Amino acid sequence: IIIIIKMKLLRRKQPRSIEDVEEYAEGAVSSNLYINLDIIFSNNKSESLNNNDDKNKEAFKNAEHAAAHIGKALAITNIVKNAAYYANLRRLYIPASLLAQYGVSSEDIFRSKPSKELSDAIFEFANTAYYHLEQSRKMNSLLSKEHISVLKVAAIAEDILEKIQKCNFDIFHPDLQNDSNLSLQLKLMKNSWKKTF
């Protein structure tokens, strides 16, 4: 999923708003989750004796709703995590309206110039990802273990959000680029044990 996000981002222009990023995420990230959920739904449907059909449909709708939010959280967190990398390529995927709201110019970012204003903009952007992550998790009790297995990628967004916060929302902080997977692996193990995502 992360590779797909990066490849599709490289072909895009800077989004105007957070809503543009969310729309992009729906098509580029959430859609991949929908495909996996659809496979599970189809398998469950063929295995059921139609007496659980309504229950399966409801669980599938809830899983799709959670996937939409997870896709948005993943797209936003990856944009933030990789912002410094893209800035070196003179590409910018942080919404233009968000940067303008905080008085941050694209040239400041291309020059790798951290500032309180940029950190404030990143805080707001990351907060949007956190909102989507929390909305997806509200569905947890309504999902089957098969749906949860697909949605466990939410741990990636959670892990990146924690790194962003530890770096004080500084997109140029070297620790943000650290790809150590230990914390992510621990989250995945904990979530698996708790049967959550």
Side-chain angles (χ1 to χ4, degrees):
I1 287 178
I2 304 307
I3 293 167
I4 292 166
I5 294 170
K6 286 183 178 181
M7 293 301 291
K8 290 189 176 184
L9 271 177
L10 285 171
R11 290 184 229 128
R12 286 189 49 102
K13 294 181 179 175
Q14 182 182 17
R16 290 184 312 271
S17 65
I18 291 175
E19 291 78 17
D20 287 347
V21 172
E22 291 172 331
E23 184 180 317
Y24 154 78
E26 186 77 26
V29 186
S30 300
S31 61
N32 291 299
L33 296 173
Y34 298 153
I35 291 168
N36 289 310
L37 290 170
D38 197 35
I39 292 168
I40 290 169
F41 179 69
S42 297
N43 288 342
N44 286 348
K45 193 174 177 183
S46 64
E47 291 171 8
S48 85
L49 300 172
N50 289 336
N51 56 352
N52 286 332
D53 216 25
D54 288 340
K55 186 178 177 182
N56 285 341
K57 285 180 185 175
E58 190 61 32
F60 180 70
K61 281 183 185 176
N62 290 326
E64 275 193 321
H65 186 76
H69 285 293
I70 291 168
K72 292 170 186 174
L74 282 167
I76 292 169
T77 54
N78 276 284
I79 287 170
V80 172
K81 181 184 184 301
N82 296 304
Y85 167 78
Y86 290 124
N88 285 333
L89 301 174
R90 296 194 62 80
R91 294 181 181 266
L92 191 54
Y93 301 108
I94 301 164
S97 63
L98 184 63
L99 294 176
Q101 178 183 336
Y102 289 93
V104 179
S105 74
S106 55
E107 281 305 313
D108 289 341
I109 295 173
F110 294 149
R111 287 189 220 122
S112 302
K113 183 179 169 190
S115 67
K116 181 190 179 319
E117 293 78 14
L118 178 57
S119 293
D120 290 345
I122 297 303
F123 172 81
E124 185 174 330
F125 200 30
N127 201 41
T128 304
Y130 179 78
Y131 165 81
H132 286 298
L133 196 56
E134 289 303 301
Q135 291 301 306
S136 71
R137 289 182 169 160
K138 287 180 180 179
M139 303 279 151
N140 192 68
S141 64
L142 306 172
L143 305 176
S144 70
K145 65 181 180 189
E146 291 90 358
H147 294 137
I148 290 171
S149 69
V150 170
L151 301 176
K152 284 184 180 179
V153 294
I156 297 169
E158 179 184 16
D159 192 58
I160 295 171
L161 281 170
E162 288 174 5
K163 284 181 183 177
I164 294 166
Q165 186 175 16
K166 285 178 186 171
C167 295
N168 293 318
F169 305 96
D170 176 5
I171 60 172
F172 303 110
H173 197 289
D175 289 348
L176 189 55
Q177 310 312 315
N178 181 1
D179 281 332
S180 168
N181 291 329
L182 181 60
S183 63
L184 177 59
Q185 290 172 2
L186 292 172
K187 276 182 191 58
L188 289 169
M189 286 173 37
K190 181 186 84 171
N191 290 351
S192 184
W193 179 70
K194 288 184 168 185
K195 295 180 176 50
T196 188
F197 57 88

